[in-house]
Amino acid sequence: MNTRPNLFSLTFSLPLLIWQLAFFLFPLAFLVALSFWTVRNFQMQPDFDTVNWVKIYSRSVFWDAYFRTLLLASASAVLISLTAFPASYAISFKLGENAKRWMIFVLIIPFFTSYLVRVYSLQVFLSDAGILNAFLGYFGLGPYPMLNNSFGTLTGYATLCLPLVILLQVFSLNFVNRDLVEAAHNMRCGRLRTVLEVIIPSAKAGLVIAGLFAFILSFGDFVSPLYLGGGNPPTLSIMITDITKSGQQWPRAAVVALTMIATLLTVAFAAIKFAYREAGK
Amino acid sequence: MTGNRNPIIDGLLKLHITLCLIFIFAPIVGSFVFSLNSDRFPSLPLGSFSTEWYRLIWEDPLVWAGFFNTLLVGACVAAIATLLGFGGAYTDFRYEFFGKTAYLALALLPPTIPVVIMGLAMLAFLSRISLSGNVVSVIIAHGVMCSPFAMAIIRLRLSQMDPDLEAAAWNLGGNEWVTMRHVIIPFTKPAIYAALFITMAVSFDEFAVAWFVSGLNETLPVKVLGFLQGQVSPRINAIGSLAFVSSISFIVIAQLLMRNPNAKTS
């Protein structure tokens, strides 16, 4: 095959490259420059001043938000992975081919319904006089506060991430060698032990990546913490939208955004390293 | 299938799947039900059946304006993202070159960057080049976010193609361009159509970046965000239900196109 760049190959490879460089990589890189700009008389000016970094990093409000966001996203990744696993396991190992295909189709549907509308609808379920509390009331329970707190935020995160995590887990479980599972059974390995010692280690990379996606989505989402979590105290994403919409302090918003990117890269790198580490080492 | 069966555990697992599906679909179903409910504040027991909220949005010129913006953006984004995605998918399929990993990372990374950060970066950058606050800015931003989806779909289809097919066409005297036109494009056509519909559906629902960069030219999801911040209004449910029906139609069309790869392609 001819691999020397010619007009033909460049026609197909270059447009995407140019587009993503111009409108994806460059804007992100621009955030770095922007974080050193200064704002005078409500005007942003190109500069090289660390004032924005100092201002943001010296505020306890920022660090509170940072650790709360980190905690919420980690809790989301763990809880959603644990909730998804029995479902993914059952879909991958217990359902026939047809039912499996249907289940995958059904789980794709939520991606194409508006997340905003779903969150709005959840408010009706979670409010003090809402559907869930009315239901619990029949049994003499509650009402429990489920809106405007971390429970609300996590419920929203789960709405956003659960279908994706189940799908990713199912795909990785589908790759688990069925002969290994059979062999484990033949060697009289119990069901739970087979899951813990054969299936989970075999599918480890996919399971970790699925959890990583839940973390990334939750960490960056501002809709659930705002409309289900009450928005106060804010998460980092809410902080960015607040700063951006309230005036010209974009350089400070850029500091928050860059801190988020650094955090995500660190977590993603660690997760991927852990996911592909050889078993037993 | 595992040989190890225990009806109680199997039953519990199926119950768990059902509960997960109920959790996932409750807000979607709830939105449908409350869009047809007469009460202003959705609660149980339900009020009477009413199409009042659909009538209100039907008569709201702002909703129509948002709808047309969404449609315009969606159509442009679908075309741009599919073209870019096709080029990327073909490049990945056909060529090995230095820096290919970086090329693929650049092409596929956008969905992993949180939308608030993309929104801020786009707004800051596009406003420097006087492109923010209009429909073009939303199209650019959505083009970035949607092209990875188009690329993935088309790449999947290309991977089903016999690599000898291209070589055979060359042996028969076709040059690269002719082969592209008569062999590769017809073969990937179902995926191209699917990519058009899927990227359109993704663009239809994306609101966060659009909210940052759109200024006064709001798309429909941004309009919904506005409603959310204001008063309680079942109009959101009505808009959501309509958006759901249109998105699902796109997906079903895309599915049908992907399902039938042996349909006549030229």
Coordinates of all heavy atoms in Angstrom, one line a residue, chain A residues 69-88 154 157-158 161-162 165-166 169 200 207-219 267 271 274, chain B residues 16 20:
Chain A
T69 N -16.7 18.3 45.0 CA -16.9 17.8 43.6 C -16.2 16.5 43.4 O -16.7 15.5 42.9 CB -16.4 18.8 42.6 OG1 -16.9 20.1 42.9 CG2 -16.9 18.4 41.2
L70 N -15.0 16.4 43.9 CA -14.2 15.2 43.8 C -14.9 14.0 44.5 O -15.0 12.9 44.0 CB -12.8 15.4 44.4 CG -11.6 14.6 43.9 CD1 -11.4 14.7 42.4 CD2 -10.3 15.0 44.7
L71 N -15.3 14.3 45.8 CA -16.0 13.3 46.6 C -17.3 12.8 45.9 O -17.6 11.6 45.8 CB -16.3 13.9 48.0 CG -16.9 12.9 49.0 CD1 -15.8 11.9 49.4 CD2 -17.3 13.6 50.2
L72 N -18.1 13.8 45.4 CA -19.4 13.4 44.8 C -19.1 12.6 43.5 O -19.8 11.6 43.3 CB -20.1 14.7 44.4 CG -20.9 15.4 45.5 CD1 -21.5 16.7 45.0 CD2 -22.1 14.5 45.9
A73 N -18.1 13.0 42.7 CA -17.9 12.2 41.5 C -17.3 10.8 41.8 O -17.7 9.9 41.1 CB -16.9 13.0 40.6
S74 N -16.5 10.7 42.8 CA -16.0 9.4 43.2 C -17.1 8.5 43.7 O -17.2 7.3 43.3 CB -14.9 9.5 44.3 OG -13.9 10.5 43.9
A75 N -17.9 9.1 44.6 CA -19.0 8.3 45.1 C -19.9 7.9 44.0 O -20.4 6.7 43.9 CB -19.8 9.2 46.1
S76 N -20.2 8.8 43.0 CA -21.0 8.5 41.9 C -20.4 7.3 41.1 O -21.1 6.3 40.7 CB -21.1 9.7 41.0 OG -21.5 9.4 39.7
A77 N -19.1 7.4 40.8 CA -18.5 6.3 40.0 C -18.6 5.0 40.7 O -18.9 3.9 40.1 CB -17.0 6.6 39.8
V78 N -18.3 4.9 42.0 CA -18.4 3.7 42.8 C -19.8 3.2 42.9 O -20.1 2.0 42.6 CB -17.7 3.9 44.2 CG1 -17.9 2.7 45.1 CG2 -16.3 4.2 44.1
L79 N -20.7 4.0 43.3 CA -22.1 3.6 43.5 C -22.7 3.1 42.2 O -23.4 2.1 42.2 CB -22.9 4.7 44.2 CG -22.6 5.1 45.6 CD1 -23.4 6.3 46.0 CD2 -22.9 3.9 46.5
I80 N -22.5 3.9 41.2 CA -23.1 3.5 39.9 C -22.5 2.2 39.4 O -23.2 1.3 38.9 CB -23.0 4.7 38.9 CG1 -23.8 5.8 39.4 CG2 -23.4 4.2 37.5 CD1 -23.6 7.1 38.6
S81 N -21.2 2.0 39.5 CA -20.5 0.8 39.1 C -21.1 -0.4 39.8 O -21.4 -1.4 39.2 CB -19.0 0.8 39.3 OG -18.4 1.8 38.4
L82 N -21.3 -0.2 41.1 CA -21.8 -1.3 42.0 C -23.2 -1.7 41.6 O -23.6 -2.8 41.6 CB -21.7 -1.0 43.5 CG -20.2 -1.0 44.0 CD1 -20.2 -0.6 45.5 CD2 -19.6 -2.3 43.8
T83 N -24.0 -0.6 41.3 CA -25.4 -0.8 41.0 C -25.5 -1.5 39.6 O -26.4 -2.3 39.4 CB -26.2 0.5 40.9 OG1 -25.9 1.2 42.1 CG2 -27.7 0.3 40.8
A84 N -24.6 -1.0 38.7 CA -24.7 -1.5 37.3 C -24.3 -3.0 37.2 O -24.8 -3.7 36.4 CB -23.9 -0.6 36.4
F85 N -23.3 -3.4 38.0 CA -22.7 -4.7 37.8 C -23.7 -5.9 37.8 O -23.6 -6.7 36.8 CB -21.5 -5.0 38.7 CG -20.8 -6.2 38.4 CD1 -19.9 -6.2 37.3 CD2 -21.0 -7.4 39.1 CE1 -19.3 -7.4 36.9 CE2 -20.4 -8.6 38.7 CZ -19.5 -8.6 37.6
P86 N -24.5 -6.0 38.8 CA -25.4 -7.2 38.8 C -26.3 -7.2 37.5 O -26.6 -8.2 36.9 CB -26.3 -7.0 40.0 CG -25.5 -6.1 40.9 CD -24.7 -5.2 40.0
A87 N -26.7 -6.0 37.1 CA -27.5 -5.9 35.8 C -26.7 -6.3 34.6 O -27.2 -7.1 33.8 CB -28.1 -4.5 35.7
S88 N -25.5 -5.8 34.5 CA -24.6 -6.1 33.4 C -24.3 -7.6 33.3 O -24.3 -8.2 32.3 CB -23.3 -5.3 33.4 OG -23.5 -4.0 33.8
L154 N -26.6 13.0 43.4 CA -26.2 11.6 43.1 C -27.3 10.9 42.2 O -26.9 10.2 41.3 CB -25.8 10.8 44.3 CG -24.5 11.2 45.0 CD1 -24.4 10.5 46.3 CD2 -23.3 10.9 44.0
Y157 N -26.8 12.2 38.8 CA -25.6 11.6 38.2 C -25.9 10.2 37.7 O -25.5 9.8 36.6 CB -24.5 11.5 39.2 CG -23.8 12.8 39.6 CD1 -23.0 12.9 40.7 CD2 -23.9 14.0 38.7 CE1 -22.3 14.1 41.1 CE2 -23.2 15.1 39.1 CZ -22.5 15.2 40.2 OH -21.8 16.4 40.6
A158 N -26.7 9.5 38.5 CA -27.0 8.1 38.2 C -27.9 8.1 36.9 O -27.7 7.2 36.0 CB -27.7 7.4 39.3
C161 N -25.5 8.6 34.1 CA -24.4 7.7 33.8 C -24.8 6.2 33.8 O -24.1 5.4 33.1 CB -23.3 7.8 34.9 SG -22.7 9.4 35.1
L162 N -25.9 5.8 34.5 CA -26.2 4.4 34.7 C -26.3 3.7 33.3 O -25.7 2.6 33.2 CB -27.4 4.2 35.5 CG -27.7 2.8 36.0 CD1 -26.6 2.2 36.8 CD2 -29.0 2.7 36.8
V165 N -22.8 3.2 31.9 CA -22.0 2.2 32.6 C -22.4 0.8 32.4 O -21.6 -0.1 32.2 CB -22.0 2.6 34.1 CG1 -21.3 1.6 34.9 CG2 -21.3 4.0 34.3
I166 N -23.7 0.6 32.4 CA -24.2 -0.8 32.1 C -23.8 -1.2 30.8 O -23.2 -2.4 30.6 CB -25.8 -0.9 32.3 CG1 -26.2 -0.6 33.7 CG2 -26.2 -2.3 31.9 CD1 -27.7 -0.6 33.9
Q169 N -20.1 -2.0 30.7 CA -19.8 -3.2 31.5 C -20.2 -4.5 30.7 O -19.5 -5.5 30.6 CB -20.5 -3.2 32.8 CG -19.9 -2.2 33.8 CD -20.5 -2.4 35.2 OE1 -21.5 -3.1 35.4 NE2 -19.9 -1.7 36.2
I200 N -14.6 -11.0 37.1 CA -14.2 -9.6 37.4 C -12.8 -9.4 36.9 O -12.5 -8.4 36.2 CB -14.5 -9.2 38.8 CG1 -16.0 -9.0 39.0 CG2 -13.8 -7.8 39.2 CD1 -16.4 -8.6 40.4
L207 N -14.4 -2.7 33.1 CA -15.1 -2.3 34.3 C -14.5 -1.0 34.9 O -15.3 0.0 35.3 CB -15.1 -3.3 35.4 CG -15.7 -4.7 35.0 CD1 -15.6 -5.7 36.2 CD2 -17.2 -4.5 34.6
V208 N -13.2 -0.9 34.9 CA -12.6 0.3 35.4 C -12.9 1.5 34.4 O -13.2 2.6 34.9 CB -11.0 0.1 35.5 CG1 -10.4 1.5 35.9 CG2 -10.8 -0.9 36.6
I209 N -12.8 1.3 33.1 CA -13.1 2.3 32.1 C -14.5 2.8 32.3 O -14.8 4.0 32.2 CB -12.8 1.8 30.7 CG1 -11.4 1.4 30.5 CG2 -13.2 2.9 29.7 CD1 -10.3 2.4 30.5
A210 N -15.4 1.9 32.5 CA -16.8 2.3 32.7 C -17.0 3.2 33.9 O -17.6 4.2 33.9 CB -17.7 1.0 32.9
G211 N -16.3 2.8 35.0 CA -16.3 3.7 36.2 C -15.7 5.0 36.0 O -16.2 6.1 36.4
L212 N -14.6 5.0 35.2 CA -13.9 6.3 34.8 C -14.9 7.2 34.1 O -14.9 8.4 34.3 CB -12.7 6.0 34.0 CG -11.9 7.2 33.4 CD1 -11.3 8.0 34.6 CD2 -10.8 6.7 32.5
F213 N -15.7 6.6 33.1 CA -16.6 7.5 32.4 C -17.6 8.1 33.4 O -18.0 9.3 33.2 CB -17.3 6.7 31.3 CG -16.6 6.8 30.0 CD1 -15.7 5.8 29.6 CD2 -16.9 7.9 29.2 CE1 -15.0 6.0 28.4 CE2 -16.2 8.0 28.0 CZ -15.3 7.0 27.6
A214 N -18.1 7.3 34.3 CA -19.1 7.8 35.3 C -18.4 9.0 36.1 O -19.0 10.0 36.3 CB -19.5 6.7 36.3
F215 N -17.1 8.8 36.4 CA -16.4 9.8 37.2 C -16.3 11.1 36.3 O -16.7 12.2 36.8 CB -15.0 9.4 37.6 CG -14.2 10.4 38.3 CD1 -14.4 10.5 39.7 CD2 -13.4 11.3 37.6 CE1 -13.6 11.5 40.4 CE2 -12.7 12.3 38.3 CZ -12.8 12.4 39.7
I216 N -15.9 10.9 35.1 CA -15.7 12.1 34.2 C -17.0 12.9 34.0 O -17.1 14.1 34.1 CB -15.1 11.7 32.8 CG1 -13.7 11.2 33.0 CG2 -15.2 12.8 31.8 CD1 -13.1 10.6 31.7
L217 N -18.1 12.1 33.7 CA -19.4 12.8 33.4 C -19.9 13.5 34.7 O -20.4 14.6 34.6 CB -20.4 11.7 33.0 CG -20.3 11.2 31.5 CD1 -21.3 10.1 31.3 CD2 -20.5 12.4 30.6
S218 N -19.8 12.8 35.8 CA -20.3 13.4 37.1 C -19.4 14.6 37.5 O -20.0 15.6 37.9 CB -20.2 12.4 38.2 OG -20.9 11.2 37.9
F219 N -18.1 14.5 37.3 CA -17.2 15.6 37.7 C -17.5 16.9 36.9 O -17.4 18.0 37.4 CB -15.8 15.1 37.5 CG -14.7 16.0 38.1 CD1 -14.6 16.0 39.5 CD2 -13.9 16.8 37.3 CE1 -13.6 16.8 40.0 CE2 -13.0 17.6 37.9 CZ -12.8 17.6 39.3
V267 N -6.7 11.5 37.2 CA -7.6 10.4 37.5 C -7.6 9.4 36.3 O -7.5 8.2 36.5 CB -9.0 10.9 37.9 CG1 -10.0 9.7 38.0 CG2 -9.0 11.7 39.2
A271 N -6.4 5.6 36.5 CA -7.4 4.5 36.2 C -7.0 3.6 35.1 O -7.1 2.4 35.2 CB -8.8 5.1 35.9
F274 N -4.1 1.4 36.2 CA -4.7 0.4 37.1 C -5.4 -0.7 36.2 O -5.2 -1.9 36.5 CB -5.6 1.0 38.1 CG -6.3 0.0 39.0 CD1 -5.6 -0.8 39.9 CD2 -7.7 -0.2 38.8 CE1 -6.3 -1.7 40.7 CE2 -8.3 -1.2 39.6 CZ -7.6 -1.9 40.5
Chain B
H16 N -33.4 -7.1 39.7 CA -32.4 -6.0 39.7 C -32.4 -5.2 38.3 O -32.4 -4.0 38.3 CB -31.0 -6.4 40.0 CG -30.0 -5.3 40.2 ND1 -30.0 -4.5 41.3 CD2 -29.1 -4.9 39.3 CE1 -29.0 -3.6 41.1 NE2 -28.4 -3.8 39.9
C20 N -33.4 -1.3 37.7 CA -32.5 -0.4 37.0 C -33.3 0.3 35.9 O -33.2 1.5 35.7 CB -31.3 -1.0 36.5 SG -30.1 -1.4 37.7

